[in-house]
Amino acid sequence: MGHLNSIDLPEPGARDSSAAPPAKAKSRWWLWIVILAVVAIAIWYYRGHSTSEAGATAAPGATGKGKGGAGMTVPVVVATAQKGDLPVYLIGLGSVTAFNTVTVRSRVDGQIVKVNFTEGQFVHAGDALIEIDPRPYQVMLEQAEGQLAKDQAQLHDVQVDFERYTLLYNEGVVPKQQVDTQQAQVGQFQGAIKADQATIDNAKLQLVYAHITAPISGRVGLRLVDMGNIVHASDTAGLLVITQLQPISVIFTLPQDQLQQVLVKLRGGGQLPVEAYDRDDITKIADGKLATIDNTIDPTTGTYKLKSIFSNDNNVLFPNQFVNVHMLVDTKRGLVIVPAAAIQRGPQGTYVYVVSGGDTVNIRVITVAQTTGNNIGISSGLNGGDVVVIDGQDKLQDGSKVATSTSPTGGAGRGAAAQPAAQTGNPSGAPTGKKSSNPANNPSGGKAR
């Protein structure tokens, strides 16, 4: 029994603890799989992010090559700067106004028996237009002439009696009162004859009024009555309208800030040329001259009105037509002229790319003195004969190599003094884009570009 008691028997709890580790190791194998998957995903993400950063870092380098980097030749279009004069225009919005407009009305009552014009016809002053039935006025004339003949016969009778009574009075046969009475009768018939003559003249005038003629030379509009209609002198609608088109006027407005500039020219006795352009301000329609300016400034818009006259020989201007008016007030002389497309702006100010050495461009800072249409007048920073880039500047930088070609429209300054889209001077050197010709977008009535 004692021997048996000396033997160490394993306890149940100890055997369970020795067997537990292998069981836990088998139950946690999936954790290692998860960890490995997370590590693989992290490595994949890190490599992809590094690749995108490398691409983004390389992008500026590619852009630098596009801007004309070393070793790259950029094709550009160039033009040659020329020295010349640029006109200074004041530009306003205008409306064509007929020099004279007449509504022809009847001055007598009657029926229209003849129409001697066609709608839209150009007539001259004195041309026959409409004939009203003259027969009633012819009858009135004949009646007046008959009354005149009767009164003339009676006047002759009383004059003979007056002479007879005068002789008898001198001989003492009749009293002085009878002579005076007879003299008064002579005066009465003389007055009646003058009244008859006035009636005759009035009847003749009515006959003249029955034949309606053109009071002015101009274009006939649509007729308002037809042959056979009865018209009256009291009618307000009229028979037709005649509009004078040659010459014709254009009334336009300019900002009040430009008033003194115009007054100085007018006081000098010079005539200011005026040009009318179409609604798009592209095509010139006609040439004229300034006639006068209004005597007041409109306080609501800050503008003043000017009136110009156009001969309108080809009838291109029509009443109430909208036009853009360019008025020449000055000429800037001795400027270097380049196309507007050559002008660039940046932190260094206004500049152009000048081609030097035949294939290298350099930045040249300039001062803009005048902008006229598509031409820019430069007062400093550029010389006549310099070659400037007018297309392809977005790929250039100072010192870029270029391959040049000439613009098919020719060099700068061609026809600079007769450009259709002219504008006022811009000392700041920052010409703006062309403004809309719609009057609703320009309440001031003038444009300064």
Side-chain angles (χ1 to χ4, degrees), residues 40-77:
I41 292 173
I43 293 172
W44 172 81
Y45 177 80
Y46 177 78
R47 288 183 178 178
H49 185 65
S50 299
T51 303
S52 63
E53 287 182 348
T57 304
T63 304
K65 292 181 180 179
K67 288 289 288 183
M72 181 177 180
T73 301
V74 181
V76 295
V77 180

Coordinates of all heavy atoms in Angstrom, one line a residue, residues 40-77:
A40 N -0.1 42.3 -48.4 CA 0.0 42.3 -49.9 C -0.7 43.5 -50.5 O -0.3 44.1 -51.4 CB -0.6 41.0 -50.4
I41 N -1.9 43.8 -49.9 CA -2.7 44.9 -50.4 C -1.9 46.2 -50.1 O -1.9 47.1 -51.0 CB -4.1 45.0 -49.7 CG1 -4.9 43.8 -50.1 CG2 -4.8 46.3 -50.0 CD1 -6.2 43.6 -49.4
A42 N -1.3 46.3 -49.0 CA -0.5 47.6 -48.6 C 0.6 47.7 -49.6 O 0.9 48.9 -50.1 CB 0.0 47.5 -47.2
I43 N 1.3 46.6 -49.9 CA 2.4 46.8 -50.9 C 1.9 47.2 -52.3 O 2.4 48.0 -52.9 CB 3.2 45.4 -51.0 CG1 3.9 45.1 -49.6 CG2 4.2 45.4 -52.1 CD1 4.5 43.8 -49.6
W44 N 0.8 46.6 -52.7 CA 0.2 47.0 -54.0 C -0.2 48.4 -54.1 O 0.0 49.1 -55.0 CB -1.0 46.0 -54.2 CG -1.8 46.4 -55.5 CD1 -1.5 46.1 -56.8 CD2 -3.0 47.2 -55.5 NE1 -2.4 46.7 -57.6 CE2 -3.3 47.4 -56.8 CE3 -3.8 47.8 -54.5 CZ2 -4.5 48.1 -57.2 CZ3 -4.9 48.5 -54.9 CH2 -5.2 48.7 -56.2
Y45 N -0.9 48.9 -53.0 CA -1.3 50.3 -52.9 C -0.1 51.3 -52.9 O -0.1 52.3 -53.6 CB -2.1 50.5 -51.7 CG -2.6 52.0 -51.5 CD1 -3.7 52.5 -52.2 CD2 -1.9 52.8 -50.7 CE1 -4.1 53.8 -52.1 CE2 -2.3 54.1 -50.5 CZ -3.4 54.6 -51.2 OH -3.8 55.9 -51.1
Y46 N 0.9 50.9 -52.2 CA 2.1 51.8 -52.1 C 2.8 51.9 -53.5 O 3.2 53.0 -53.9 CB 3.1 51.2 -51.1 CG 4.4 52.0 -51.0 CD1 4.4 53.2 -50.3 CD2 5.5 51.5 -51.6 CE1 5.6 54.0 -50.3 CE2 6.7 52.2 -51.5 CZ 6.7 53.5 -50.9 OH 7.9 54.2 -50.8
R47 N 2.9 50.8 -54.2 CA 3.5 50.8 -55.5 C 2.7 51.6 -56.5 O 3.2 52.4 -57.3 CB 3.7 49.4 -56.0 CG 4.8 48.6 -55.3 CD 5.0 47.2 -55.9 NE 6.1 46.6 -55.2 CZ 6.5 45.3 -55.5 NH1 5.8 44.6 -56.4 NH2 7.5 44.7 -54.9
G48 N 1.4 51.4 -56.5 CA 0.5 52.2 -57.4 C 0.6 53.7 -57.1 O 0.6 54.5 -58.0
H49 N 0.6 54.1 -55.8 CA 0.7 55.5 -55.5 C 2.0 56.1 -55.9 O 2.1 57.3 -56.4 CB 0.4 55.7 -54.0 CG 0.4 57.1 -53.5 ND1 -0.6 58.0 -53.9 CD2 1.2 57.8 -52.7 CE1 -0.4 59.1 -53.3 NE2 0.7 59.1 -52.6
S50 N 3.1 55.4 -55.7 CA 4.4 55.9 -56.1 C 4.5 56.1 -57.6 O 5.0 57.1 -58.1 CB 5.5 54.9 -55.7 OG 5.4 54.7 -54.3
T51 N 3.8 55.2 -58.4 CA 3.8 55.3 -59.9 C 3.1 56.6 -60.3 O 3.5 57.3 -61.2 CB 3.2 54.1 -60.5 OG1 3.9 52.9 -60.1 CG2 3.2 54.2 -62.0
S52 N 1.9 56.9 -59.7 CA 1.1 58.1 -60.1 C 1.9 59.3 -59.7 O 1.9 60.3 -60.4 CB -0.2 58.0 -59.3 OG 0.0 58.1 -57.9
E53 N 2.6 59.4 -58.6 CA 3.4 60.5 -58.2 C 4.5 60.8 -59.2 O 4.8 61.9 -59.5 CB 3.9 60.4 -56.8 CG 2.9 60.5 -55.7 CD 3.5 60.4 -54.3 OE1 4.7 60.0 -54.2 OE2 2.8 60.7 -53.4
A54 N 5.1 59.7 -59.6 CA 6.2 59.8 -60.6 C 5.6 60.4 -61.9 O 6.3 61.2 -62.5 CB 6.8 58.4 -60.9
G55 N 4.4 59.9 -62.3 CA 3.8 60.5 -63.5 C 3.5 62.0 -63.4 O 3.7 62.8 -64.3
A56 N 3.0 62.3 -62.2 CA 2.7 63.7 -62.0 C 3.9 64.6 -62.0 O 4.0 65.7 -62.4 CB 1.9 63.9 -60.6
T57 N 5.0 64.0 -61.4 CA 6.3 64.8 -61.4 C 6.8 64.9 -62.8 O 7.4 66.0 -63.1 CB 7.3 64.0 -60.5 OG1 6.7 63.8 -59.2 CG2 8.6 64.8 -60.4
A58 N 6.6 64.0 -63.6 CA 7.1 64.1 -65.0 C 6.3 65.0 -65.9 O 6.7 65.5 -66.9 CB 7.1 62.7 -65.7
A59 N 5.0 65.3 -65.5 CA 4.1 66.1 -66.3 C 4.7 67.5 -66.6 O 4.6 68.0 -67.7 CB 2.7 66.2 -65.7
P60 N 5.2 68.3 -65.5 CA 5.7 69.6 -65.8 C 6.8 69.5 -66.8 O 7.0 70.4 -67.6 CB 6.2 70.1 -64.4 CG 5.3 69.3 -63.4 CD 5.1 67.9 -64.1
G61 N 7.6 68.5 -66.8 CA 8.7 68.4 -67.8 C 8.1 68.3 -69.2 O 8.6 68.9 -70.1
A62 N 7.0 67.6 -69.3 CA 6.4 67.5 -70.7 C 5.9 68.8 -71.1 O 6.0 69.2 -72.2 CB 5.3 66.4 -70.6
T63 N 5.3 69.5 -70.1 CA 4.8 70.9 -70.4 C 5.9 71.8 -70.8 O 5.7 72.6 -71.7 CB 4.0 71.4 -69.2 OG1 3.0 70.5 -68.9 CG2 3.4 72.8 -69.6
G64 N 6.9 71.7 -70.2 CA 8.1 72.6 -70.5 C 8.5 72.3 -71.9 O 8.9 73.2 -72.7
K65 N 8.5 71.1 -72.4 CA 8.8 70.8 -73.8 C 7.8 71.4 -74.7 O 8.2 72.0 -75.7 CB 8.9 69.3 -74.0 CG 10.1 68.6 -73.3 CD 10.1 67.1 -73.6 CE 11.3 66.5 -72.8 NZ 11.3 65.0 -73.1
G66 N 6.5 71.4 -74.4 CA 5.5 72.0 -75.2 C 5.7 73.5 -75.3 O 5.2 74.1 -76.2
K67 N 6.2 74.2 -74.3 CA 6.4 75.6 -74.3 C 7.7 76.0 -75.0 O 8.2 77.1 -74.9 CB 6.5 76.1 -72.9 CG 5.2 76.1 -72.2 CD 4.2 77.1 -72.7 CE 4.6 78.5 -72.3 NZ 3.7 79.5 -72.7
G68 N 8.2 75.1 -75.8 CA 9.4 75.5 -76.5 C 10.7 75.3 -75.8 O 11.6 76.1 -75.7
G69 N 10.8 74.1 -75.2 CA 12.0 73.8 -74.4 C 13.2 73.6 -75.3 O 13.1 73.8 -76.5
A70 N 14.3 73.4 -74.7 CA 15.6 73.3 -75.4 C 15.5 72.2 -76.4 O 15.0 71.1 -76.2 CB 16.7 73.1 -74.4
G71 N 16.0 72.5 -77.6 CA 16.0 71.5 -78.7 C 14.7 71.4 -79.5 O 14.7 70.5 -80.4
M72 N 13.7 72.2 -79.1 CA 12.4 72.0 -79.8 C 12.1 73.3 -80.7 O 12.2 74.4 -80.2 CB 11.2 71.8 -78.8 CG 9.9 71.6 -79.5 SD 8.6 71.3 -78.3 CE 7.2 71.1 -79.4
T73 N 11.7 73.1 -81.9 CA 11.4 74.2 -82.8 C 9.9 74.4 -82.9 O 9.2 73.4 -83.2 CB 12.0 74.0 -84.2 OG1 13.4 73.9 -84.1 CG2 11.7 75.2 -85.1
V74 N 9.4 75.6 -82.6 CA 8.0 75.9 -82.6 C 7.6 76.6 -83.9 O 8.2 77.6 -84.2 CB 7.6 76.7 -81.4 CG1 6.1 77.0 -81.4 CG2 8.0 76.0 -80.1
P75 N 6.6 76.1 -84.7 CA 6.1 76.8 -85.8 C 5.3 78.0 -85.4 O 4.3 77.8 -84.6 CB 5.3 75.7 -86.6 CG 4.9 74.8 -85.5 CD 6.0 74.7 -84.5
V76 N 5.5 79.1 -86.0 CA 4.8 80.3 -85.7 C 4.5 81.1 -87.0 O 5.2 80.9 -88.0 CB 5.5 81.3 -84.7 CG1 5.7 80.6 -83.4 CG2 6.9 81.7 -85.3
V77 N 3.5 82.0 -86.9 CA 3.2 82.9 -88.0 C 3.7 84.3 -87.6 O 3.5 84.8 -86.4 CB 1.7 83.0 -88.3 CG1 1.4 83.9 -89.4 CG2 1.2 81.6 -88.6

